[in-house]
Amino acid sequence: MSLVAPDKAVRVAVAGVAHNHAQMMMRHLQADERFEITAIADGDPSVAEPLLEGTGLQVTYQTNDDLFRNEDFDVVLVGDVYAKRGQITID
């Protein structure tokens, strides 16, 4: 594993934003030029939209499956509620 910074930002896809740790992590990622949040999936806009308010981010996919099939990313931030995280990680 290399500890040298990559030539370009690490592309982060976010799978779910319902857990408050997800919002904290997204704020940290946005503040660090080494990372770029490329897409966010969340199936419940009534929950996701208020949590993303003021961040400049928006939900781009309604399902994680669509995110995983259609987006080019380096890592996934799994930010959904605990009950859903296991399956998201397996997917």
Side-chain angles (χ1 to χ4, degrees):
M1 178 176 177
S2 173
L3 297 178
V4 176
D7 292 338
K8 57 185 178 178
V10 175
R11 298 165 299 173
V12 181
V14 181
V17 298
H19 196 276
N20 64 353
H21 289 118
Q23 293 105 53
M24 177 190 65
M25 289 301 302
M26 287 188 290
R27 282 194 305 273
H28 287 294
L29 291 169
Q30 283 185 295
D32 190 328
E33 65 185 25
R34 297 173 296 172
F35 299 94
E36 175 190 4
I37 298 174
T38 59
I40 299 173
D42 198 286
D44 190 348
S46 68
V47 172
E49 289 172 5
L51 297 173
L52 294 173
E53 193 171 310
T55 66
L57 300 170
Q58 61 185 8
V59 173
T60 49
Y61 295 97
Q62 294 299 307
T63 70
N64 294 323
D65 288 340
D66 287 342
L67 170 71
F68 298 151
R69 273 195 302 266
N70 298 306
E71 197 65 36
D72 193 19
F73 55 87
D74 300 309
V75 297
V76 176
L77 167 61
V78 180
D80 215 322
V81 295
Y82 289 124
K84 295 181 181 180
R85 290 182 182 184
Q87 189 60 54
I88 293 169
T89 303
I90 290 168
D91 292 346

